[in-house]
Amino acid sequence: SLQSRFFHQPLFIMTFSYLFINTLSVHTPLSSHRTSSSICRSIPPPPTPPPRRFASICMNSSATSSNFDLRIGHGYDLHRLESGYKLKLGGIELDHDRGCVGHSDGDAVLHCITDSILGALSLPDIGQLFSDKDPKWKNADSDLFLHEACNRMHALGFEIGNIDVTVILEKPKLSPHKIQMRSNIAEICKCPLEKINLKAKTHEKVDAVGENRAVEVHAVAILHKVNKASAQEQNEEEGLVGKVAEELYGRIMERKLEGDVEGSWTAKLLGMGVKKVGQKVGEEAVEVVIEAIANERENVIKESADLYFHLNVLWAQLGIEPKDVFKELQKRQNISGIQEKQSRNQ
């Protein structure tokens, strides 16, 4: 029909739209007009998500790096294997027809661990501290290097969290020697055996390592800051050490002056002379070593107490006071263990 054709014409649609919009503009207050931009602005923003727990912990002043400091270091070493050299790994000399080529004893395991600890502490690496251009490190025992790294670690207030070592070597098999290697490393690092792990792999006869022409070692060390007790507790502990040492030596000197060999073991021991007292010190030192090798911590503490007592008796016999020994220790605090050992040989 004519009506239906009219309503489908574009002109009608445009005219109707124009009239509708103008009608709205007349009867609707200007303040209520909403453009697309104003409508968007009126939509409330989405709620701010709660901060992640990790971020809040990092920003929390009670969880600063001064209270919790974890360090991770990676070490890597590679040595050629050639005849005419000894094969020493993890502090053990292994029976093999070739050994590690190196300026020192070539212990790639100890070198690698040393670098992992130094790396975790952002210190110079093993090549910088113990240059292969320096003749004094020629054929040096690699445990000296690891000792020095651990001394620096302890001086900075860190201790071993754990050390994981992977040795890649075609021959010989390391399985029979793993425990001894771990024990050697734990002893040098002054940490429990369970904090040291060592794995051995072959390279499936691929490249120089697989052809038994080289040994490759990786090590990862995790260090953590030692959580000290409060300053008051720490001062009390330090005071306790001084107090016990002073009282012990004082009682020994009293027994020496009293000379009651019948009622006092200390006086009797002092009466036997320096030779006998020295023998007792040696016996107690051996007891400490035996318990340490057995990894018996409590027994080591007890035997160490016996050793310290007999050392004090020996000092009293020779007129040496504990402060004389402590002064000597204090002088060595700013000298590395390696330098101190070298000074003895000069």
Side-chain angles (χ1 to χ4, degrees):
S1 65
L2 180 63
Q3 185 180 6
S4 63
R5 288 199 303 272
F6 175 77
F7 282 110
H8 283 85
Q9 296 301 318
L11 179 61
F12 170 78
I13 296 172
M14 293 174 64
T15 303
F16 180 80
S17 299
Y18 174 78
L19 292 173
F20 178 75
I21 292 172
N22 276 277
T23 302
L24 286 177
S25 65
V26 172
H27 297 285
T28 306
L30 183 62
S31 60
S32 66
H33 286 183
R34 295 204 174 188
T35 63
S36 60
S37 60
S38 65
I39 291 173
C40 291
R41 285 196 299 270
S42 67
I43 298 174
T48 304
R52 293 186 179 182
R53 178 164 177 77
F54 177 75
S56 64
I57 290 174
C58 292
M59 297 301 292
N60 191 341
S61 60
S62 65
T64 59
S65 60
S66 61
N67 293 329
F68 182 77
D69 197 347
L70 186 70
R71 304 290 186 88
I72 300 176
H74 175 257
Y76 172 80
D77 202 13
L78 177 77
H79 279 263
R80 297 195 316 276
L81 295 176
E82 294 183 2
S83 59
Y85 292 87
K86 295 178 180 179
L87 180 59
K88 191 174 181 182
L89 295 173
I92 297 177
E93 189 173 322
L94 302 171
D95 185 18
H96 195 42
D97 61 352
R98 60 191 70 184
C100 293
V101 178
H103 184 66
S104 62
D105 62 3
D107 193 326
V109 171
L110 298 189
H111 292 179
C112 196
I113 297 172
T114 300
D115 250 352
S116 68
I117 293 174
L118 294 173
L121 299 170
S122 299
L123 294 175
D125 62 33
I126 189 172
Q128 294 172 280
L129 294 179
F130 313 104
S131 172
D132 57 5
K133 304 294 190 297
D134 193 333
K136 71 181 177 183
W137 305 124
K138 181 67 175 176
N139 298 322
D141 288 333
S142 295
D143 59 350
L144 292 175
F145 307 152
L146 185 52
H147 266 299
E148 180 63 15
C150 290
N151 286 340
R152 295 183 180 222
M153 173 187 70
H154 292 134
L156 292 172
F158 286 86
E159 64 180 22
I160 300 293
N162 77 293
I163 294 175
D164 188 27
V165 183
T166 302
V167 183
I168 308 171
L169 178 68
E170 204 67 24
K171 297 178 184 178
K173 297 298 182 184
L174 298 184
S175 296
H177 311 288
K178 283 183 180 179
I179 294 296
Q180 186 58 53
M181 288 181 177
R182 291 174 58 209
S183 297
N184 292 345
I185 297 165
E187 181 181 355
I188 297 172
C189 295
K190 298 178 181 176
C191 69
L193 180 63
E194 59 266 22
K195 291 190 175 185
I196 308 297
N197 187 47
L198 188 142
K199 307 183 295 293
K201 308 285 184 181
T202 67
H203 217 254
E204 300 296 336
K205 304 188 185 305
V206 177
D207 68 30
V209 177
E211 294 171 358
N212 199 30
R213 293 187 290 113
V215 57
E216 187 176 9
V217 185
H218 292 265
V220 176
I222 295 181
L223 314 180
H224 62 88
K225 199 84 169 180
V226 178
N227 291 323
K228 293 290 186 182
S230 66
Q232 181 179 356
E233 292 174 343
Q234 189 174 351
N235 290 336
E236 288 176 356
E237 289 180 359
E238 292 174 354
L240 177 64
V241 173
K243 182 180 179 182
V244 170
E246 184 178 345
E247 289 180 352
L248 174 62
Y249 189 77
R251 283 198 297 270
I252 291 173
M253 290 303 295
E254 287 177 5
R255 301 295 184 269
K256 182 178 181 180
L257 293 173
E258 292 169 357
D260 183 11
V261 295
E262 298 297 329
S264 168
W265 162 249
T266 302
K268 184 177 181 179
L269 187 60
L270 285 164
M272 295 179 182
V274 173
K275 185 176 180 180
K276 183 62 178 178
V277 177
Q279 181 182 340
K280 286 297 296 180
V281 170
E283 291 173 1
E284 298 300 339
V286 170
E287 292 293 333
V288 172
V289 172
I290 291 173
E291 299 299 341
I293 292 174
N295 204 25
E296 296 289 343
R297 184 178 182 277
E298 293 302 320
N299 289 342
V300 169
I301 293 173
K302 293 175 182 177
E303 295 298 341
S304 296
D306 290 342
L307 174 59
Y308 186 74
F309 166 77
H310 286 91
L311 264 177
N312 273 265
V313 174
L314 182 63
W315 294 342
Q317 188 77 287
L318 298 173
I320 299 172
E321 295 185 26
K323 66 180 181 181
D324 300 325
V325 179
F326 297 148
K327 284 179 181 178
E328 177 62 26
L329 288 172
Q330 190 175 34
K331 285 194 301 185
R332 300 182 187 182
Q333 284 185 354
N334 296 324
I335 304 175
S336 74
I338 294 175
Q339 292 174 331
E340 194 277 328
K341 286 184 178 180
Q342 289 175 343
S343 66
R344 295 186 193 181
N345 298 328
Q346 293 176 353

